[in-house]
Amino acid sequence: MDPGGGVGYSGSRSIGERVMRTQVAVIGGGPAGLLLSHILHLEGVESIVLESRSKAHVMKRIRAGVLEAGSVKLLRDVGLGERMDREGHVHDGAAIVWAGHGRFFIDTRKYTGKRMMAYGQTAITEDLYAAREAAGGEILDEVDDVELHGLTGASPHVTFEREGRPERIDCDFIAGCDGKHGVSRPSMPAGLTKVYEKVYPFGWLGVMSETPPLEDLVYASHPRGFALASQRNPMLSRYYIQCSLDDRIEDWPDERFWEELKSRYPSEIADAIVTGPTIEKSIAPLRSFVSEPMRYGRLFLAGDAAHLVPPTGAKGLNLAFSDVFYLSRALVEHYKGGGDRYLDSYSDMALRRVWHCERLSWWMTNLMHRFPDDTEFDQRSRENELEFLSMSDHAHAALAEQYAGLPYES
Ligand code: RFL
Ligand code: PHB
């Protein structure tokens, strides 16, 4: 076995087709696929990652920013903590403001003893790519027409095209880490899967600006809609506002964005927001989605390929990491001869954690946003819930426990 690369050439099966062999074929080179490949390598298990986009595209995607304490520990445990600890910002909780009321702070460190981290997904992806490349890991990017075969047999395989040429990977297992638009989940029989879904009637307009962020993350609920002030590093801020699904980026020149953002915060916070030219602007729709089960034969789904959360509460990347923790442990135990107990319980175990985060993200989304069909009763109840949250130590503790992240199951 060559744990560094994992490519063996076993000849051709059809004319012109290059055939490779590995233990685990990983579909998708986002954070879930790259982290899985990295951990498997550390444990002596071969993998090849197939990514449909270019490396440059994957590296510049801007998404998540907040890591649960468990994600921070996992990254440190697998040798990926050095830059995070140097450049990330320790995150001990988040502030909440709502129209006409003062700020309160959910102190995750006080209630859980755990420390989170504000460290961007873009930097994590860079760190993962660097680690895989340093180890000679095989990441095949810009692949087309990926198809999964033989999932219920002992020797599945993947076919795809690269630079117009057909290629094939024979393997023992396939990890579907190819996000919400990937091919892995649709490769499971429709009759087997059950989908749970909720689509929200608004989106998030997000911007990045090279300006100093506020000291804390601040979530805002306001009659004009939700807002969030987040951070990446001392000179990089991330801000979001709730927007209409019909809005386009062109509708939001910088000046309008900053004015709207500030209008959703009390003046003392609005005045502290440092504005400047934005370097990125995008609109993301909000959706809750779970597809069960997360396993079909020798195919195992992880991350956004199996589930999506609205970003309120910052759970998406963290769930991708907990899936990868469970899946890597299961595959390593299998290869070390420890049996298939974890492979067999993977879907149920991962889904238990998924549903905790689905519920939290759904609850926070409902609590913090304005919905077009809200009645006055809905809004008064929401305000009451915010008031209760602001004054109840028990409510603080419950939110802190979930925001910092529930423990991984052993
Ligand atoms: P990804 O990152 O989508 O990666 C999947 C990869 O698979 C590739 N792919 C294919 N490859 C081969 N063949 C195919 N047929 C393929 N189809 C697709 C894709 O090109 C891609 O490279 O999924 P992964 O790895 O599961 O990671 C999930 C996270 O990216 C996602 O959950 C988070 O970004 C969500 N999220 C947040 N999560 C957090 O934990 N904390 C946060 O603070 C946070 N903030 C956010 C977020 C997501 C956001 N958006 C844009 C949806 C903020 C926003 C605005
Ligand atoms: C982010 O920094 O991108 C972020 C932070 C907290 C969230 C969502 C996104 O709840």
Side-chain angles (χ1 to χ4, degrees):
M1 177 170 63
D2 164 21
V7 183
Y9 297 93
S10 46
S12 288
R13 301 281 171 95
S14 66
I15 295 169
E17 185 184 58
R18 187 171 89 136
V19 181
M20 292 163 267
R21 156 95 209 146
T22 192
Q23 291 175 312
V24 182
V26 179
I27 317 298
L34 292 171
L35 182 62
L36 178 66
S37 177
H38 173 75
I39 298 176
L40 291 178
H41 161 73
L42 295 179
E43 298 286 348
V45 178
E46 302 170 4
S47 65
I48 299 176
V49 177
L50 289 181
E51 167 57 50
S52 57
R53 310 303 294 258
S54 68
K55 173 181 168 186
H57 177 93
V58 172
M59 300 276 266
K60 76 171 172 17
R61 271 196 301 237
I62 297 173
R63 286 181 177 173
V66 173
L67 295 177
E68 292 178 348
S71 301
V72 172
K73 179 176 182 315
L74 177 61
L75 291 175
R76 284 191 189 126
D77 287 350
V78 299
L80 292 166
E82 196 260 330
R83 180 175 168 212
M84 174 182 72
D85 285 326
R86 191 163 24 90
E87 294 183 15
H89 183 81
V90 172
H91 176 54
D92 285 333
I96 296 179
V97 293
W98 86 101
H101 297 267
R103 163 193 189 283
F104 63 92
F105 188 74
I106 304 294
D107 190 332
T108 45
R109 191 178 186 197
K110 170 178 157 192
Y111 288 103
T112 68
K114 298 178 186 170
R115 309 200 84 178
M116 304 168 70
M117 189 74 92
Y119 186 60
Q121 182 167 333
T122 318
I124 293 173
T125 308
E126 284 169 9
D127 298 348
L128 283 163
Y129 240 100
R132 288 314 294 124
E133 287 181 343
E138 198 77 20
I139 303 169
L140 309 182
D141 68 348
E142 297 189 80
V143 300
D144 292 316
D145 295 333
V146 175
E147 287 182 24
L148 317 187
H149 309 269
L151 298 175
T152 52
S155 329
H157 68 277
V158 184
T159 55
F160 55 100
E161 284 203 0
R162 198 154 53 116
E163 292 168 356
R165 285 185 49 199
E167 303 199 14
R168 165 181 170 134
I169 298 175
D170 293 339
C171 54
D172 304 327
F173 297 100
I174 300 176
C177 305
D178 46 356
K180 64 177 165 184
H181 300 302
V183 294
S184 299
R185 184 171 38 78
S187 302
M188 295 167 71
L192 174 87
T193 54
K194 166 104 179 105
V195 165
Y196 301 84
E197 185 172 26
K198 187 166 181 69
V199 175
Y200 299 88
F202 40 73
W204 276 21
L205 168 63
V207 310
M208 193 76 100
S209 82
E210 287 172 324
T211 49
L214 296 179
E215 195 166 325
D216 294 312
L217 251 79
V218 188
Y219 290 89
S221 167
H222 189 273
R224 298 183 65 86
F226 166 86
L228 169 62
S230 185
Q231 49 193 241
R232 291 294 179 270
N233 66 45
M235 263 314 282
L236 198 54
S237 304
R238 181 77 165 147
Y239 294 101
Y240 299 97
I241 54 172
Q242 175 183 350
C243 66
S244 159
L245 283 171
D246 298 326
D247 282 0
R248 293 162 311 146
I249 298 294
E250 306 78 78
D251 301 331
W252 287 96
D254 287 0
E255 236 167 73
R256 182 179 172 210
F257 177 84
W258 291 121
E259 199 182 315
E260 185 60 41
L261 176 78
K262 288 183 169 211
S263 76
R264 298 182 186 188
Y265 282 100
S267 56
E268 65 280 12
I269 295 179
D271 291 347
I273 292 174
V274 182
T275 62
T278 64
I279 56 168
E280 195 263 352
K281 213 179 261 160
S282 54
I283 294 180
L286 268 65
R287 197 170 148 209
S288 298
F289 174 92
V290 183
S291 177
E292 298 184 351
M294 289 170 62
R295 173 192 189 169
Y296 173 61
R298 295 222 159 201
L299 168 65
F300 292 82
L301 303 182
D304 281 14
H307 41 74
L308 300 170
V309 288
T312 336
K315 290 298 172 198
L317 178 65
N318 291 296
L319 270 183
F321 283 177
S322 55
D323 288 352
V324 165
F325 170 81
Y326 290 139
L327 183 53
S328 57
R329 179 173 68 181
L331 290 166
V332 168
E333 187 169 83
H334 169 89
Y335 282 112
K336 291 200 166 153
D340 287 350
R341 160 182 72 119
Y342 281 131
L343 278 178
D344 292 338
S345 59
Y346 169 71
S347 178
D348 289 343
M349 203 182 268
L351 282 167
R352 274 195 286 277
R353 202 165 190 289
V354 166
W355 275 108
H356 282 304
C357 294
E358 288 288 343
R359 183 189 42 73
L360 178 75
S361 312
W362 163 82
W363 174 78
M364 271 189 85
T365 301
N366 282 301
L367 181 69
M368 301 300 299
H369 292 74
R370 300 290 161 132
F371 286 65
D373 294 336
D374 273 349
T375 62
E376 287 184 14
F377 184 90
D378 295 328
Q379 184 50 31
R380 285 292 289 119
S381 301
R382 181 176 295 127
E383 283 165 19
N384 175 265
E385 186 153 16
L386 281 161
E387 194 173 325
F388 176 71
L389 180 60
S390 72
M391 63 188 224
S392 161
D393 205 42
H394 297 290
H396 271 236
L399 178 52
E401 183 183 10
Q402 299 171 82
Y403 190 66
L406 297 180
Y408 297 174
E409 282 181 53
S410 47

